[in-house]
Amino acid sequence: MAFGVKRDELNRWKENVEAGQIAFLTHYWIDERFPGCATVTKVGCSDLDKLEQWGKQYGLKREWMDLRGKYPHFDLFGEHQRRILAAEGQAEHLRRFNL
């Protein structure tokens, strides 16, 4: 279950993903499969090669991409999430979600 994201943020993320840009969307998220994780960052891009190359710099593998639906993305959790958001200059995500 996702919450803490506004419709305009989600729509902007979708537009950027469809346009082939690397796009970030962080929201609160509860899933029993991931205890201790209260947020997730979805890093998406419709250009799969571009997304793969982006992920490689952080040790992410192509097979970890979520390819279901129209918006291919990596899901980032925990320390990887914090480290990558900081490296990408996504201070607003870090501040807003107290990461």
Side-chain angles (χ1 to χ4, degrees):
M1 172 186 283
F3 51 100
V5 64
K6 297 175 182 152
R7 182 171 305 279
D8 65 316
E9 292 173 298
L10 178 59
N11 289 337
R12 192 173 334 111
W13 181 80
K14 288 179 176 181
E15 289 170 6
N16 290 335
V17 169
E18 288 174 353
Q21 299 173 19
I22 299 293
F24 296 81
L25 179 71
T26 301
H27 58 79
Y28 291 107
W29 182 74
I30 306 266
D31 188 318
E32 293 174 359
R33 296 173 297 167
F34 301 94
C37 294
T39 61
V40 62
T41 297
K42 297 185 176 300
V43 183
C45 182
S46 61
D47 180 335
L48 296 183
D49 292 330
K50 183 176 181 178
L51 185 59
E52 178 181 18
Q53 289 306 307
W54 176 87
K56 276 186 179 180
Q57 68 185 314
Y58 298 110
L60 305 177
K61 298 179 181 179
R62 187 178 183 113
E63 57 265 25
W64 297 346
M65 288 181 195
D66 184 334
L67 301 176
R68 295 171 290 152
K70 271 176 71 169
Y71 306 100
H73 64 276
F74 285 109
D75 288 320
L76 307 178
F77 305 96
E79 185 52 40
H80 291 297
Q81 178 187 26
R82 285 185 286 279
R83 178 178 55 84
I84 293 169
L85 286 173
E88 290 288 328
Q90 299 292 321
E92 175 60 21
H93 291 255
L94 294 165
R95 183 200 60 74
R96 179 175 169 195
F97 293 95
N98 199 30
L99 300 170

